[in-house]
Coordinates of all heavy atoms in Angstrom, one line a residue:
L1 N 0.9 -1.2 0.0 CA 0.0 0.0 0.0 C 0.9 1.2 0.0 O 1.7 1.4 0.9 CB -0.9 0.0 1.2 CG -1.7 1.2 1.5 CD1 -2.7 1.5 0.3 CD2 -2.5 1.1 2.8
V2 N 0.7 2.1 -1.0 CA 1.5 3.3 -1.1 C 0.6 4.5 -1.4 O -0.6 4.3 -1.8 CB 2.6 3.2 -2.2 CG1 3.6 2.1 -1.8 CG2 2.0 3.0 -3.5
Q3 N 1.1 5.7 -1.3 CA 0.4 6.8 -1.7 C 0.7 7.3 -3.1 O 1.7 6.9 -3.7 CB 0.7 8.0 -0.7 CG 0.2 7.7 0.7 CD 0.5 8.9 1.6 OE1 1.3 9.8 1.3 NE2 -0.3 9.1 2.7
A4 N -0.2 8.0 -3.7 CA -0.1 8.5 -5.0 C 1.2 9.3 -5.1 O 1.5 10.1 -4.2 CB -1.2 9.4 -5.5
G5 N 2.0 9.1 -6.2 CA 3.3 9.7 -6.3 C 4.5 8.9 -5.8 O 5.6 9.2 -6.1
D6 N 4.2 7.9 -5.0 CA 5.2 7.1 -4.5 C 5.8 6.1 -5.5 O 5.3 6.0 -6.6 CB 4.7 6.3 -3.3 CG 4.6 7.1 -2.0 OD1 5.0 8.3 -2.0 OD2 4.0 6.6 -1.1
S7 N 6.9 5.4 -5.1 CA 7.5 4.4 -5.9 C 7.5 3.1 -5.3 O 7.3 3.0 -4.0 CB 8.9 4.8 -6.2 OG 9.0 6.0 -6.9
L8 N 7.5 2.0 -6.1 CA 7.5 0.7 -5.6 C 8.2 -0.2 -6.6 O 8.2 0.0 -7.8 CB 6.1 0.2 -5.4 CG 5.7 -0.9 -4.4 CD1 6.1 -0.5 -3.0 CD2 4.2 -1.2 -4.5
R9 N 9.0 -1.2 -6.1 CA 9.6 -2.1 -7.0 C 9.1 -3.6 -6.8 O 9.2 -4.0 -5.6 CB 11.2 -2.1 -6.8 CG 11.9 -2.9 -7.9 CD 13.4 -2.9 -7.8 NE 13.9 -3.8 -6.8 CZ 15.1 -4.2 -6.8 NH1 16.0 -3.8 -7.8 NH2 15.6 -5.0 -5.8
L10 N 8.6 -4.1 -7.8 CA 8.2 -5.5 -7.7 C 9.3 -6.4 -8.2 O 10.0 -6.0 -9.1 CB 6.9 -5.7 -8.6 CG 5.7 -4.8 -8.3 CD1 4.6 -5.2 -9.2 CD2 5.3 -4.9 -6.9
S11 N 9.4 -7.6 -7.6 CA 10.3 -8.6 -8.0 C 9.6 -9.9 -8.4 O 8.6 -10.2 -7.8 CB 11.4 -8.9 -7.0 OG 12.1 -7.7 -6.6
C12 N 10.2 -10.6 -9.3 CA 9.6 -11.9 -9.7 C 10.8 -12.9 -9.8 O 11.6 -12.8 -10.7 CB 8.9 -11.8 -11.0 SG 8.3 -13.4 -11.6
A13 N 10.9 -13.8 -8.9 CA 11.9 -14.8 -8.8 C 11.4 -16.1 -9.6 O 10.3 -16.6 -9.3 CB 12.3 -15.2 -7.4
A14 N 12.3 -16.6 -10.5 CA 11.9 -17.7 -11.3 C 12.8 -19.0 -10.9 O 14.0 -18.8 -10.6 CB 12.0 -17.4 -12.8
S15 N 12.2 -20.1 -10.9 CA 12.9 -21.3 -10.7 C 13.4 -21.8 -12.0 O 12.9 -21.4 -13.1 CB 12.1 -22.3 -10.0 OG 11.0 -22.7 -10.9
G16 N 14.3 -22.8 -12.1 CA 14.7 -23.4 -13.3 C 16.0 -22.8 -13.9 O 16.3 -21.6 -13.5
R17 N 16.6 -23.5 -14.7 CA 17.9 -23.1 -15.3 C 17.8 -22.5 -16.6 O 18.8 -22.0 -17.2 CB 18.8 -24.4 -15.4 CG 19.1 -25.1 -14.1 CD 19.9 -26.3 -14.4 NE 19.1 -27.3 -15.0 CZ 19.5 -28.5 -15.4 NH1 20.8 -28.8 -15.2 NH2 18.8 -29.4 -16.0
T18 N 16.6 -22.3 -17.1 CA 16.4 -21.7 -18.5 C 15.8 -20.4 -18.5 O 15.2 -20.0 -19.4 CB 15.6 -22.7 -19.4 OG1 14.3 -22.9 -18.7 CG2 16.3 -24.0 -19.5
F19 N 15.8 -19.7 -17.4 CA 15.2 -18.4 -17.2 C 15.6 -17.4 -18.4 O 14.7 -16.7 -18.9 CB 15.7 -17.7 -15.9 CG 15.1 -16.3 -15.7 CD1 13.8 -16.1 -15.3 CD2 16.0 -15.3 -15.9 CE1 13.4 -14.8 -15.1 CE2 15.6 -13.9 -15.7 CZ 14.3 -13.7 -15.3
S20 N 16.8 -17.4 -18.8 CA 17.3 -16.5 -19.7 C 16.7 -16.7 -21.1 O 16.7 -15.9 -22.0 CB 18.8 -16.5 -19.9 OG 19.3 -17.8 -20.2
S21 N 16.1 -17.9 -21.3 CA 15.5 -18.2 -22.6 C 14.1 -17.8 -22.7 O 13.4 -18.1 -23.8 CB 15.7 -19.7 -22.9 OG 14.9 -20.5 -22.1
Y22 N 13.5 -17.3 -21.7 CA 12.1 -16.9 -21.6 C 11.9 -15.4 -21.7 O 12.7 -14.6 -21.1 CB 11.4 -17.3 -20.4 CG 11.2 -18.8 -20.3 CD1 12.1 -19.7 -19.8 CD2 9.9 -19.3 -20.8 CE1 11.8 -21.1 -19.7 CE2 9.7 -20.7 -20.7 CZ 10.6 -21.5 -20.2 OH 10.3 -22.9 -20.2
D23 N 10.9 -15.0 -22.5 CA 10.4 -13.6 -22.4 C 9.7 -13.5 -21.1 O 9.1 -14.4 -20.6 CB 9.4 -13.3 -23.5 CG 10.1 -13.4 -24.9 OD1 11.2 -13.0 -25.0 OD2 9.4 -13.8 -25.8
M24 N 9.9 -12.3 -20.4 CA 9.3 -12.1 -19.1 C 8.3 -10.9 -19.2 O 8.7 -9.9 -19.8 CB 10.3 -11.9 -18.0 CG 11.3 -13.0 -17.8 SD 10.4 -14.6 -17.3 CE 9.7 -14.0 -15.8
G25 N 7.2 -11.1 -18.6 CA 6.2 -10.0 -18.7 C 5.5 -9.7 -17.4 O 5.6 -10.6 -16.4
W26 N 5.0 -8.5 -17.2 CA 4.2 -8.1 -16.1 C 2.8 -7.8 -16.6 O 2.7 -7.0 -17.6 CB 4.8 -6.9 -15.4 CG 6.0 -7.2 -14.5 CD1 7.3 -7.1 -14.9 CD2 6.0 -7.8 -13.2 NE1 8.1 -7.5 -13.9 CE2 7.3 -7.9 -12.8 CE3 5.0 -8.1 -12.3 CZ2 7.7 -8.4 -11.6 CZ3 5.4 -8.6 -11.0 CH2 6.7 -8.7 -10.7
F27 N 1.8 -8.3 -16.0 CA 0.4 -8.0 -16.3 C -0.2 -7.5 -15.0 O 0.3 -7.8 -13.9 CB -0.3 -9.2 -16.8 CG 0.1 -9.6 -18.2 CD1 1.4 -10.2 -18.4 CD2 -0.7 -9.3 -19.3 CE1 1.8 -10.6 -19.7 CE2 -0.3 -9.7 -20.6 CZ 1.0 -10.3 -20.8
R28 N -1.4 -6.9 -15.1 CA -2.1 -6.5 -13.9 C -3.6 -6.7 -14.1 O -4.1 -6.6 -15.2 CB -1.8 -5.1 -13.5 CG -2.3 -4.0 -14.4 CD -1.7 -2.7 -14.0 NE -2.2 -1.6 -14.9 CZ -1.8 -0.3 -14.9 NH1 -0.9 0.0 -13.9 NH2 -2.2 0.6 -15.7
Q29 N -4.3 -6.9 -13.0 CA -5.8 -7.0 -13.0 C -6.4 -6.2 -11.9 O -6.1 -6.5 -10.7 CB -6.2 -8.4 -12.9 CG -7.7 -8.6 -13.1 CD -8.1 -10.1 -13.3 OE1 -7.3 -11.0 -12.9 NE2 -9.2 -10.3 -14.0
A30 N -7.1 -5.2 -12.3 CA -7.8 -4.3 -11.3 C -9.2 -5.0 -11.0 O -9.7 -5.7 -11.8 CB -8.0 -2.9 -11.9
P31 N -9.8 -4.6 -9.9 CA -11.1 -5.2 -9.5 C -12.1 -4.9 -10.6 O -12.3 -3.7 -11.1 CB -11.4 -4.5 -8.2 CG -10.1 -4.1 -7.6 CD -9.2 -3.8 -8.8
G32 N -12.8 -5.9 -11.0 CA -13.8 -5.8 -12.0 C -13.4 -5.6 -13.5 O -14.2 -5.3 -14.4
K33 N -12.0 -5.7 -13.7 CA -11.5 -5.5 -15.0 C -10.8 -6.7 -15.5 O -10.4 -7.6 -14.7 CB -10.6 -4.3 -15.0 CG -11.3 -3.0 -14.8 CD -10.4 -1.8 -15.0 CE -11.1 -0.5 -14.7 NZ -10.2 0.7 -15.0
E34 N -10.5 -6.8 -16.8 CA -9.7 -7.9 -17.3 C -8.3 -7.7 -17.0 O -7.8 -6.5 -16.9 CB -10.0 -8.0 -18.8 CG -11.4 -8.5 -19.1 CD -11.6 -8.8 -20.6 OE1 -10.7 -8.5 -21.4 OE2 -12.7 -9.3 -21.0
R35 N -7.5 -8.7 -17.0 CA -6.1 -8.6 -16.9 C -5.5 -7.9 -18.1 O -5.9 -8.2 -19.3 CB -5.4 -10.0 -16.7 CG -4.0 -9.9 -16.3 CD -3.6 -11.2 -15.5 NE -3.8 -12.4 -16.3 CZ -3.6 -13.6 -15.8 NH1 -3.2 -13.8 -14.6 NH2 -3.8 -14.7 -16.5
E36 N -4.5 -7.1 -17.9 CA -4.0 -6.3 -19.0 C -2.4 -6.3 -18.9 O -1.9 -6.4 -17.9 CB -4.4 -4.8 -19.0 CG -4.0 -4.0 -17.7 CD -4.4 -2.6 -17.8 OE1 -5.1 -2.2 -18.7 OE2 -4.1 -1.8 -16.8
F37 N -1.8 -6.1 -20.1 CA -0.4 -6.1 -20.2 C 0.1 -4.8 -19.6 O -0.4 -3.8 -19.8 CB 0.0 -6.2 -21.7 CG 1.4 -5.8 -22.0 CD1 2.4 -6.8 -21.8 CD2 1.7 -4.6 -22.6 CE1 3.7 -6.5 -22.0 CE2 3.1 -4.3 -22.8 CZ 4.1 -5.2 -22.6
V38 N 1.3 -4.9 -19.0 CA 1.9 -3.8 -18.4 C 3.3 -3.5 -19.0 O 3.6 -2.4 -19.5 CB 2.1 -3.9 -16.8 CG1 2.9 -2.7 -16.3 CG2 0.8 -4.0 -16.1
A39 N 4.1 -4.5 -19.0 CA 5.5 -4.4 -19.5 C 6.1 -5.8 -19.8 O 5.6 -6.7 -19.2 CB 6.4 -3.6 -18.5
A40 N 7.1 -5.8 -20.6 CA 7.7 -7.1 -20.9 C 9.2 -6.8 -21.3 O 9.6 -5.8 -21.8 CB 7.0 -7.8 -22.1

């Protein structure tokens, strides 16, 4: 929980030895909305 204007860093740790061979993406889903692309 943060205030408007603040910063936050999300991390995603992956298992496996082939991480570098995968495209990685971030998506988000707000209440009542469909999941949407954020960044990749």
